[in-house]
Amino acid sequence: MPRHFSQTYNLGTGQGVSVLQLVKAFEAVTDTKVPYELKPRREGDIVSMFANTTLAKNELGWTAKYSLENMCKSS
């Protein structure tokens, strides 16, 4: 019986971006207003999180070649 193997890769720039930075970048490149409200962090919310792209680079030779703004434009 064949053995199936799968691997998960984190894809991204490896540089953290806040939700607000993402919203502002999207608004700037699409000339669209995104409604949002700033609220205090909720109990249990993490301070930060970003993708470690080392595995994708080492195993696939993959690195991001587009900026956050380019990614927002293409969405």
Side-chain angles (χ1 to χ4, degrees):
M1 178 175 287
R3 183 174 173 187
H4 297 281
F5 176 79
S6 64
Q7 178 64 40
T8 301
Y9 297 95
N10 288 319
L11 302 178
T13 63
Q15 303 295 313
V17 176
S18 73
V19 173
L20 186 56
Q21 287 172 306
L22 178 58
V23 167
K24 293 297 183 183
F26 184 84
E27 287 180 335
V29 300
T30 64
D31 198 29
T32 302
K33 181 70 177 151
V34 176
Y36 64 87
E37 293 181 37
L38 297 177
K39 301 282 186 168
R41 185 176 300 149
R42 301 166 298 181
E43 184 178 334
D45 281 352
I46 59 173
V47 174
S48 66
M49 178 180 68
F50 60 93
N52 180 339
T53 60
T54 304
L55 188 63
K57 183 176 182 180
N58 291 344
E59 291 190 3
L60 305 175
W62 190 94
T63 56
K65 58 183 177 180
Y66 298 108
S67 68
L68 176 63
E69 291 77 17
N70 290 128
M71 291 183 276
C72 288
K73 281 180 192 176
S74 71
S75 68

